[in-house]
Amino acid sequence: MSTIAAERADRRTDGTFAFSLSLYVALLAVTPVVTATAVWGGVGDDAALYVVALLAIAVVTGLGWLATWRRTGLAVALGGSRARWLPPLLAGGYGISAILAAPAVGVLALVGFFFGLLAAVVPGMAMVFVARSRYTETLLAGAIEHESFTAGWPDRARNRLILAMLPVFIVGCVCLGAVFWFEHNSWLLSVGQFLLPAATMPFNRTQAHTYTLSDAGIGRSIPFGKTVTTWDRFDAYSSTDEAIVLHRRWDLDARFACDQLDDPEAIVETIDRFLPRRD
């Protein structure tokens, strides 16, 4: 990609990030705006409050986009930080807190619940994917590519992960089942909503993905772009007839099933340039 084309691509994705960020803030701002209008403005008509909500979204999104779309470093900075997952998590917590406060604030809690979860799922996740892709593009710019392949975890390692996550999944189901069975909102709802994703999300790592080994690290293709894990995030690597394993202390190891690789020895040789071997 030429320099000019890269700059245009950056502007386009930064515009998407700016819009997602602005919409995210706008959705979270709806509840206090509607609440203030209903309480202090004396407006109780549903149609009027609906119009107020739409105006709040339009105004905050527009002003936020104008204020952030030229700040090209925002997406890259967020994408390179583990804090990139905070926006959807905070918005989800916002929505859950609102519904738990329903006995005190009444029907307006439903507004906070709806817009909080909407902010988490739509603009919140869009911010994560766009920021991570922008960071990857920046990190890989000029990096030398060595190997590219498609592989997933070997079956035995995947089955061990299933056994490890099964108790977490069962406890999460029991918590949610207890809430709906007894028809009572409690802390069990929050526990269940946390445990179920925690038990299922790791399995995306075990699926077959296309990887690229470069000087910058290990790039992984995802439906909405690319991610990259720098070599310093790994402690060492090991290799058996079953899999090539890149070890991490505080995260799941990266595993590549050898029977899915065309040339495992070439991949081991490349990894050996950047990581120490663990016997």
Side-chain angles (χ1 to χ4, degrees), residues 136-150:
T136 301
E137 293 167 3
T138 303
L139 193 62
L140 295 180
I144 299 175
E145 179 182 323
H146 299 287
E147 297 286 342
S148 182
F149 57 91
T150 300

Side-chain angles (χ1 to χ4, degrees), residues 215-273:
D215 292 344
I218 301 179
R220 179 167 67 96
S221 297
I222 59 175
F224 301 98
K226 294 181 179 179
T227 65
V228 63
T229 304
T230 55
W231 293 111
D232 59 5
R233 295 289 183 91
F234 299 98
D235 300 319
Y237 83 96
S238 60
S239 177
T240 65
D241 293 337
E242 183 182 55
I244 301 171
V245 183
L246 278 61
H247 301 280
R248 286 185 277 204
R249 183 175 302 176
W250 303 112
D251 201 349
L252 286 176
D253 295 336
R255 299 175 182 270
F256 312 124
C258 289
D259 59 4
Q260 300 177 26
L261 301 173
D262 294 330
D263 192 352
E265 293 183 359
I267 294 172
V268 169
E269 182 179 345
T270 298
I271 295 174
D272 192 64
R273 301 179 189 179

Side-chain angles (χ1 to χ4, degrees), residues 3 23 81 156 189 223 229 244 254 256:
T3 303
L23 180 60
S81 169
R156 287 203 302 175
L189 177 64
T229 304
I244 301 171
F256 312 124

